[in-house]
Amino acid sequence: MLHKITNLTVRDVRFPTSLEQHGSDAMHTDPDYSAAYVVIDTDCGLKGFGLTFTLGKGTEIVVCAVEALAGLVVGKSLQEIVSDFRGFYRLLTSDSQMRWLGPEKGVTHLATAAVLNAVWDLWARAEGKPLWKLLVDMDPKQIVSCIDFRYITDVLTEDEALDILVKAQKGKQQREDQMLREGYPAYTTSCAWLGYSDQQLKQLCTDALKSGWTKFKVKVGADLEDDIRRCRLIRQMIGANNTLMIDANQRWDVAEAISWVSRLAEFKPLWIEEPTSPDDILGHAAISKALAPLGIGVATGEQCHNRVMFKQFLQASALQFVQIDSCRLGSVNENLAVLLMAHKFQVPVCPHAGGVGLCELVQHLILFDYVCVSGSLSHRMCEYVDHLHEHFTSPVVIHDAHYMPPKDPGYSCEMLESSVQRHQYPEGDDLQLGEGADLPLKLHISDR
């Protein structure tokens, strides 16, 4: 398993989702789902594929950051990396000059995620397994060896993490068999993007109900009266017994969030997602405390920078649902740390997957969480959006509103080369992006 890495390339790939308001919310009104798409080549011909998710403009900045990290990867063998994966993670996140741009946050961390996602994909392909199965089959000590525990040992030590994983070995095979039969429960966000008309919302809800969906998320936050009307409409459409969540995408100040969500309490949402700044841990704690008597939890995490912030959210009882993201955190390595901390605090994990490739990626992590960490499906579900899966060689499979475990080797994020060529920015053949997207920043790492 030497697989010496000989090259790393990254491309800016953008899809015109803003044209039909797919992905639109109170803060991101015209997103063009995009990715910095990484391909790792090896001397034996095996490739690894990875990506990080963006919303269009600025993807070229992430591409530049990936190029800046490439020198830390090329020349290493896969065996060298995975035999000390914690050390390799630190190599990428703690370069003495590059870390000044983070550390472990923002563009450099998005770039790190793209690179590490490609490395994990390469490892799973080398083993001939889908990534979730690679993780499930690992010895608990090997899982722990992939995690950087720096800055979180006051909450989770290596010994505690190992104990969690060892205890979860009981019933592990039965849970894996259950996932292969039934899949992991999902909820849909695709019915109620903020820019959708009422008629479109009604039709999409009708179709989703017929397909077995029982859990729905609605975007809110732009106008209170409009939110009341739309929440009433979707609650009427899905009925009293199905699950409703609402998502403000960071729109409000703390007091405003409490007041606004209290007005929507009659529609019985399970959670309010991202009610305020994603960095405001104490603000989330105040909102959680105020909404608890109404039976409404707080969910956040898709823009939580790193494991340290998740640690503090959990310590402060600032969230009731942890929303990991496969591209915001430092790939599988850092997500493993968050899954284990969430389990220690007994907070359910409900991953974020609203973006191109995110469903493909995060399904692997949540399958591992159920089989090898939490062992529970109580208040747990994974987001699903029905956009752009046709551009992947191993797209997600949804059956009866459940993610069915991937079977193909790898991390499921290899794009069709024809799709990459059509949507590569700025020279792709099929680009029809939103206003302002035709003004690329002139960034070339080679010019430094």
Side-chain angles (χ1 to χ4, degrees), residues 428-442:
D429 301 328
D430 209 17
L431 285 173
Q432 299 176 345
L433 303 176
E435 183 179 353
D438 57 343
L439 302 172
L441 295 173
K442 299 299 182 182

Side-chain angles (χ1 to χ4, degrees), residues 388-438:
L388 305 175
H389 302 293
E390 67 274 14
H391 298 288
F392 290 85
T393 60
S394 299
V396 293
V397 175
I398 298 290
H399 178 69
D400 196 25
H402 285 67
Y403 277 91
M404 300 310 296
K407 297 179 180 178
D408 294 338
Y411 203 179
S412 303
C413 56
E414 179 186 358
M415 289 187 182
L416 296 168
E417 183 58 29
S418 58
S419 292
V420 175
Q421 290 181 6
R422 287 202 312 274
H423 295 282
Q424 186 171 344
Y425 183 81
E427 63 268 25
D429 301 328
D430 209 17
L431 285 173
Q432 299 176 345
L433 303 176
E435 183 179 353
D438 57 343

Side-chain angles (χ1 to χ4, degrees), residues 118-140:
V119 172
W120 278 98
D121 179 72
L122 180 66
W123 189 7
R125 289 170 183 266
E127 296 292 337
K129 298 177 181 181
L131 182 108
W132 70 268
K133 182 63 172 168
L134 174 73
L135 292 172
V136 164
D137 288 349
M138 277 188 195
D139 179 86

Side-chain angles (χ1 to χ4, degrees), residues 20-82:
E20 296 183 66
Q21 291 287 286
H22 303 320
S24 56
D25 61 55
M27 294 295 275
H28 313 94
T29 55
D30 58 348
D32 284 323
Y33 278 4
S34 305
Y37 179 59
V38 172
V39 180
I40 289 175
D41 294 294
T42 66
D43 58 354
C44 65
L46 194 67
K47 296 177 183 287
F49 303 86
L51 59 82
T52 196
F53 172 63
T54 59
L55 292 186
K57 286 180 284 185
T59 308
E60 64 270 29
I61 304 171
V62 184
V63 166
C64 206
V66 170
E67 290 173 344
L69 293 172
L72 301 174
V73 182
V74 175
K76 287 187 166 48
S77 71
L78 179 60
Q79 185 179 41
E80 180 184 356
I81 290 170
V82 304

Side-chain angles (χ1 to χ4, degrees), residues 155 250 274-288 298-323 329 338 341-342 345 347:
V155 159
Q250 315 154 33
E274 288 199 305
T276 190
S277 164
D279 298 346
D280 189 355
I281 295 164
L282 297 183
H284 278 81
I287 295 167
S288 293
V298 170
T300 196
E302 70 185 73
Q303 293 207 357
C304 186
H305 296 303
N306 50 50
R307 65 196 179 282
V308 182
M309 283 193 67
F310 270 114
K311 177 189 77 170
Q312 294 179 60
F313 271 109
L314 291 164
Q315 287 174 311
S317 300
L319 44 65
Q320 288 70 55
F321 300 91
V322 166
Q323 295 182 306
L329 294 178
V338 176
M341 286 191 292
F345 282 86
V347 177

